[in-house]
Amino acid sequence: MARLVILGAGIAGQTAALQAKTRLSSKHEVVVISPNSKWNWIPSNIWVGVGAMRPEQVTFELAPVYKKTGIYFHQARAVSIHPDGDQSTSNPFVTIEYTNESRKGETEKISYDYLINSTGPKLNFAATKGLGPEFNSLSVCTYDHAAKTFSALNELIQRMKKGEKKTLLIGVGHGNCTCQGAAFEYIFNVEYLLRKNKVRDKANLVWLSNEKELGDFGIGGMHIKRGGYVTHSRIFTESLYTERGISWITQAHVKEAAPGEVFYETLDGAEHSIKNDFAMLLPPFSGVGLKSFNKQGEEITKDLFAANSFMLVDADYSKKNYSDWKSSDWPSIYQNPKYKNIFVAGIAFAPPHAISKPMQSPNGTSIFPTPPRTGMPSGVMARQIALNITDMMEGKADRPTRHASMAKMGAACIASAGANFFKGTAVSMTMYPIIPDFETYPDTGRQLKYTTGEIGLAGHWIKHFLHHAFIYKAKAKPFWRIIPE
């Protein structure tokens, strides 16, 4: 008997757990450890943030799904990894601390033969003074954050209906944030809601971002072939912002979110501030802060994790200039280089470098997006990791044989721009590959045939369908495996 332990039950963790359990014989165990009792379809949190959905429509209880599928579940947070065991055992294990009410605070050692770290990110609000729902800004990162944000937005709309004019600031709250796509979706859904409530003329809607230019999205932007010519996503995105009457501030690092005012530095080193009545600013991400110890109890966290607490994998982490970056720097099997039975799925792996070009202000402040690696890529890499591990557990292979490099992977993204079955819109984008490959595609870094962008009502229908399809799949309902990542 061998045991696969999976840390985290988000998109990556749930995908890995279900895929592994389906392929393993009954003599093996799959164990999931997650501090949350509920699964959350995070892409739909933006709809909770505008009141188009309720929290219970984007979540479900994990325990019944795991009971049905025969997966062991501990509602707990992982505290540390001991890849060599300790003085009492040579078996590798993780220490966990329970978060459910009946065992809250209890700790336990869970041994493993294979480990997948899919813990996702830590929402690092503390990186920016005053940022976050506990202080002076709002968020849609979690379903409860999104519900509180809608409450604040709805209150503002009621005041605008009485004739008050308001400024709404939406974007990212640090110079090295990622996930511009979620903020993009939120600002356009807010804009749609304001029009629906006939108060659009009362709102000054402002986008604030660390992108060099609109349409970067942390992937360095992309080129699209339209009507016989090739255009950049900047043109496409600027056109959309202009059409909807949204002004924008780019190249910005938020230094402080004060009550009613946000202070930021721009890439030219200048200091600015903007007063606002509503600030939804996403935080930067870091790893969750797992520690690691050797058999003697000495800390070896640096052997497993980068300085930002994301886990090291089979990437090329050597220091290089931007001009020397290659798509082959990116990992393909997500295996820790020192401990071959430890893998990482989703945003928890340490990227070798950014995708967008690194930029610094004259003051030395880094202002550029860090690379996104959530959603579809997260699910694809989790599936391939699970298949590799199950092959090794069943004796079919002695090393990983499947690859899922973001430099060889395409992706599709549907970004909501207004939630309504008849009047809604969404931006549908595809790209190949995710990581630009300028050796193969020297002009644009990507294959134009498979890199597209379009906005329309059909995109909203697809987005709504995918919401239900992915929740159905995550619940492991009949034929869930035919739904792709």
Side-chain angles (χ1 to χ4, degrees):
M1 189 277 279
R3 176 184 289 164
L4 167 62
V5 171
I6 298 169
L7 307 180
I11 293 173
Q14 186 76 344
T15 300
L18 295 181
Q19 292 284 354
K21 184 59 185 175
T22 301
R23 287 173 54 89
L24 287 172
S25 56
S26 58
K27 65 181 180 181
H28 299 301
E29 287 184 358
V30 176
V31 178
V32 173
I33 296 164
S34 171
N36 305 310
S37 64
K38 294 181 178 180
W39 192 84
N40 179 199
W41 178 239
I42 291 172
S44 293
N45 285 352
I46 57 110
W47 284 343
V48 176
V50 292
M53 283 190 172
R54 301 183 306 279
E56 52 269 31
Q57 291 177 281
V58 300
T59 58
F60 62 81
E61 292 290 337
L62 284 165
V65 177
Y66 292 144
K67 183 178 180 181
K68 174 179 68 176
T69 52
I71 295 170
Y72 295 91
F73 176 49
H74 299 272
Q75 190 188 328
R77 70 183 185 93
V79 177
S80 57
I81 301 173
H82 303 254
D84 301 309
D86 61 8
Q87 298 286 11
S88 63
T89 178
S90 294
N91 295 325
F93 65 87
V94 293
T95 55
I96 64 172
E97 180 179 317
Y98 285 92
T99 57
N100 55 333
E101 284 303 318
S102 61
R103 301 186 66 181
K104 196 167 188 175
E106 287 183 38
T107 60
E108 186 176 353
K109 297 177 180 177
I110 305 290
S111 63
Y112 64 82
D113 295 283
Y114 290 91
L115 180 70
I116 298 177
N117 174 13
S118 52
T119 45
K122 171 186 174 183
L123 305 177
N124 194 15
F125 290 107
T128 302
K129 184 179 179 182
L131 189 72
E134 294 183 4
F135 297 100
N136 305 315
S137 67
L138 299 158
S139 158
V140 292
C141 289
T142 67
Y143 60 86
D144 56 339
H145 285 178
K148 291 174 184 172
T149 297
F150 173 62
S151 179
L153 177 62
N154 192 41
E155 183 180 332
L156 207 66
I157 289 172
Q158 301 313 312
R159 295 175 68 174
M160 284 190 273
K161 284 182 175 178
K162 294 177 181 176
E164 297 183 31
K165 293 193 174 182
K166 301 294 180 186
T167 294
L168 293 80
L169 184 65
I170 296 172
V172 298
H174 189 275
N176 287 137
C177 278
T178 184
C179 230
Q180 287 77 14
F184 170 94
E185 289 188 273
Y186 189 66
I187 197 168
F188 281 96
N189 273 271
V190 168
E191 196 277 335
Y192 176 82
L193 186 64
L194 295 174
R195 280 192 280 124
K196 182 180 176 183
N197 281 275
K198 303 185 187 307
V199 293
R200 183 64 184 89
D201 61 325
K202 305 297 181 190
N204 175 27
L205 205 49
V206 183
W207 171 254
L208 181 68
S209 170
N210 57 349
E211 299 161 287
K212 181 175 181 293
E213 55 194 11
L214 287 182
D216 182 285
F217 295 121
I219 55 167
M222 60 185 196
H223 291 82
I224 305 166
K225 193 171 184 179
R226 295 173 65 89
Y229 61 91
V230 176
T231 187
H232 191 268
S233 52
R234 177 180 64 83
I235 305 298
F236 179 89
T237 312
E238 285 183 357
S239 174
L240 185 59
Y241 276 64
T242 302
E243 175 188 312
R244 303 282 175 98
I246 300 171
S247 58
W248 62 85
I249 301 165
T250 53
Q251 305 180 7
H253 162 68
V254 174
K255 302 181 74 170
E256 180 181 356
E261 189 168 10
V262 165
F263 296 86
Y264 62 95
E265 175 187 347
T266 46
L267 200 54
D268 59 5
E271 305 271 347
H272 308 268
S273 74
I274 179 169
K275 296 185 183 298
N276 65 83
D277 303 285
F278 176 99
M280 198 301 289
L281 299 173
L282 298 181
F285 295 160
S286 68
V288 297
L290 277 168
K291 300 292 185 184
S292 186
F293 299 90
N294 65 14
K295 195 172 182 63
Q296 289 72 40
E298 298 161 335
E299 186 170 348
I300 56 168
T301 303
K302 289 183 178 178
D303 289 350
L304 276 83
F305 295 93
N308 56 11
S309 296
F310 290 122
M311 187 172 264
L312 300 168
V313 290
D314 55 304
D316 182 352
Y317 293 108
S318 58
K319 297 291 183 186
K320 297 179 180 178
N321 294 322
Y322 174 71
S323 58
D324 296 326
W325 287 0
K326 294 184 177 179
S327 60
S328 56
D329 297 338
W330 286 73
S332 66
I333 55 174
Y334 306 93
Q335 184 182 44
N336 181 259
K338 183 170 184 178
Y339 295 99
K340 303 298 185 184
N341 59 345
I342 298 179
F343 293 79
V344 192
I347 202 169
F349 83 83
H353 46 67
I355 304 174
S356 302
K357 187 176 181 179
M359 312 283 277
Q360 263 194 358
S361 76
N363 304 320
T365 306
S366 295
I367 306 177
F368 62 92
T370 47
R373 46 205 189 279
T374 54
M376 182 179 174
S378 180
V380 172
M381 69 178 77
R383 183 190 63 207
Q384 298 300 74
I385 291 168
L387 298 186
N388 281 335
I389 291 175
T390 53
D391 277 354
M392 292 187 285
M393 290 173 73
E394 294 288 357
K396 298 177 181 175
D398 60 1
R399 62 176 64 87
T401 57
R402 297 174 178 83
H403 299 261
S405 170
M406 289 169 63
K408 303 289 184 186
M409 187 191 304
C413 176
I414 312 291
S416 176
N420 184 279
F421 196 76
F422 298 106
K423 298 179 180 178
T425 53
V427 179
S428 305
M429 295 179 284
T430 62
M431 70 184 76
Y432 178 86
I434 299 170
I435 307 298
D437 179 356
F438 288 100
E439 291 178 301
T440 307
Y441 311 106
D443 292 332
T444 63
R446 296 190 176 95
Q447 167 65 272
L448 287 176
K449 182 179 178 182
Y450 302 116
T451 302
T452 63
E454 194 73 54
I455 184 168
L457 176 60
H460 171 71
W461 293 343
I462 296 170
K463 177 91 176 176
H464 203 81
F465 168 77
L466 292 177
H467 164 89
H468 293 288
F470 287 126
I471 290 179
Y472 182 94
K473 177 177 182 171
K475 287 181 175 178
K477 290 196 170 185
F479 307 108
W480 65 266
R481 293 183 68 188
I482 65 174
I483 300 172
E485 279 70 34

